[in-house]
Amino acid sequence: MVRRSALVACAAALGIAGVAGCGGSGGADLTKDRTPDQILKDAQGAAAGQSQFRVTIEGSARGVVSTRSARTPTILIRTLGGGIRANGQGTVNGDDATLDFDASLARLPSVQGNVTKVGGRVFVGLLGSDYRVALPEDRVREAHPALLPSGLLTWITSPRVEGRETVDGTETVRMTGQVDLDVVSRDALNVLSRVETGTVRPDDIRRSIPELRRGLTRRSVEMWIGTRDLLPRRVVVTLGLRGRITAFPEISRADVTFDTRFDDYGKSVTIAEPATNRTLDLDSLGSILG
């Protein structure tokens, strides 16, 4: 059996795994005379070589929880049923990361806080207090924040070049494409298997992958790739799920959009653990948020 014990906010923040080693160097247009597939492949390689950067994320989610059970956390029902909007900004240094966030759920005041991962520990700062999240250290170590840029690019298939644009002062090539159903189904279920409380069998995960693949009726993506270093500067993903999946039968519909920006590649940062002896789990998070 696989335990599904984590926090929605933490999983979202940690979220989700060359040709150029450093950002911002050189003056040549490395996208010139390359096909869209070649640009995407080169960008994946360039991003995989990066371990330090700054990230900014804006996202929203709304869905329908059709069937409630004892294992369905109230906060999940509120989040999907009423919708959630969130934004965050933070830094990544290898397997360590920290993210300040502002999240707003329907009918509830917005919540500001912080999520920090150091080694096998995750911490959440809420309402002026820091907590260590009650998660097994071996599961936490499976999350590799530095793989976020390259991991997002592996979601993309059928890329097309749409033009040239400047993103935060960097010249980029703008491309559109579709989300690879097999890759996003696998990655999404890997994340979701750590989010809820309750239990899911490995067979449930395997059965859910083709169900999620069929249910993702919306799966568009936009990306902006630096012309001089082939590093991703912005990735926008839109997903729409219709129909139930075995691992999470409570959820019958969900719409998710997230906009991720990357900069300060190669900039050294130090990420330290917050000093706290408090612990937090999903049930206590619901109590804190009301």
Side-chain angles (χ1 to χ4, degrees):
M1 305 288 283
V2 178
R3 285 292 302 168
R4 301 190 295 179
S5 119
L7 295 170
V8 175
C10 295
L14 296 175
I16 0 318
V19 296
C22 299
S25 62
D29 184 349
L30 300 180
T31 66
K32 187 177 180 180
D33 299 326
R34 280 182 166 89
T35 68
D37 285 317
Q38 288 172 331
I39 295 172
L40 178 58
K41 182 178 179 180
D42 290 346
Q44 290 170 352
Q50 299 296 316
S51 61
Q52 297 171 322
F53 51 85
R54 185 170 63 147
V55 60
T56 301
I57 303 174
E58 296 183 8
S60 64
R62 188 179 182 90
V64 175
V65 178
S66 300
T67 304
R68 301 184 185 185
S69 66
R71 73 174 191 175
T72 309
T74 301
I75 191 170
L76 177 64
I77 296 172
R78 286 181 176 176
T79 299
L80 288 177
I84 180 173
R85 299 187 66 84
N87 61 78
Q89 193 172 77
T91 54
V92 173
N93 185 359
D95 285 344
D96 298 339
T98 184
L99 183 80
D100 295 324
F101 66 85
D102 186 329
S104 177
L105 281 72
R107 299 183 299 278
L108 289 175
S110 63
V111 176
Q112 294 79 41
N114 170 273
V115 177
T116 297
K117 175 189 181 293
V118 178
R121 299 184 175 196
V122 173
F123 300 85
V124 173
L126 288 172
L127 304 179
S129 298
D130 293 319
Y131 305 85
R132 181 183 173 185
V133 182
L135 291 173
E137 289 198 16
D138 58 337
R139 301 300 296 274
V140 174
R141 292 185 189 278
E142 294 175 2
H144 304 288
L147 298 180
L148 180 59
S150 59
L152 278 177
L153 294 183
T154 65
W155 282 20
I156 300 166
T157 187
S158 305
R160 297 190 306 270
V161 171
E162 303 291 352
R164 307 282 169 139
E165 295 182 7
T166 299
V167 176
D168 299 328
T170 298
E171 295 179 5
T172 72
V173 57
R174 176 177 171 266
M175 303 172 68
T176 59
Q178 295 290 309
V179 169
D180 187 303
L181 289 170
D182 292 324
V183 175
V184 74
S185 298
R186 179 200 65 204
D187 288 353
L189 287 170
N190 283 340
V191 171
L192 288 174
S193 67
R194 302 184 181 100
V195 170
E196 290 187 68
T197 57
T199 303
V200 60
R201 297 170 297 183
D203 282 348
D204 292 337
I205 293 293
R206 284 192 289 269
R207 290 175 59 189
S208 296
I209 289 177
E211 294 170 346
L212 185 57
R213 192 182 188 281
R214 290 191 298 269
L216 284 172
T217 57
R218 297 176 60 208
R219 51 187 183 101
S220 64
V221 62
E222 292 180 276
M223 56 191 148
W224 289 257
I225 306 298
T227 59
R228 298 184 180 183
D229 55 18
L230 296 172
L231 291 172
R233 302 294 170 167
R234 184 182 180 192
V235 181
V236 180
V237 177
T238 301
L239 300 173
L241 174 67
R242 301 294 182 268
R244 291 183 176 85
I245 57 175
T246 299
F248 298 90
E250 301 92 342
I251 302 171
S252 61
R253 173 174 178 165
D255 293 287
V256 179
T257 298
F258 57 92
D259 182 340
T260 309
R261 292 175 180 253
F262 304 99
D263 59 15
D264 286 350
Y265 281 107
K267 184 176 181 179
S268 180
V269 294
T270 299
I271 298 172
E273 292 186 1
T276 182
N277 57 6
R278 300 182 179 93
T279 59
L280 185 69
D281 57 26
L282 189 61
D283 293 331
S284 57
L285 175 64
S287 299
I288 291 174
L289 297 180

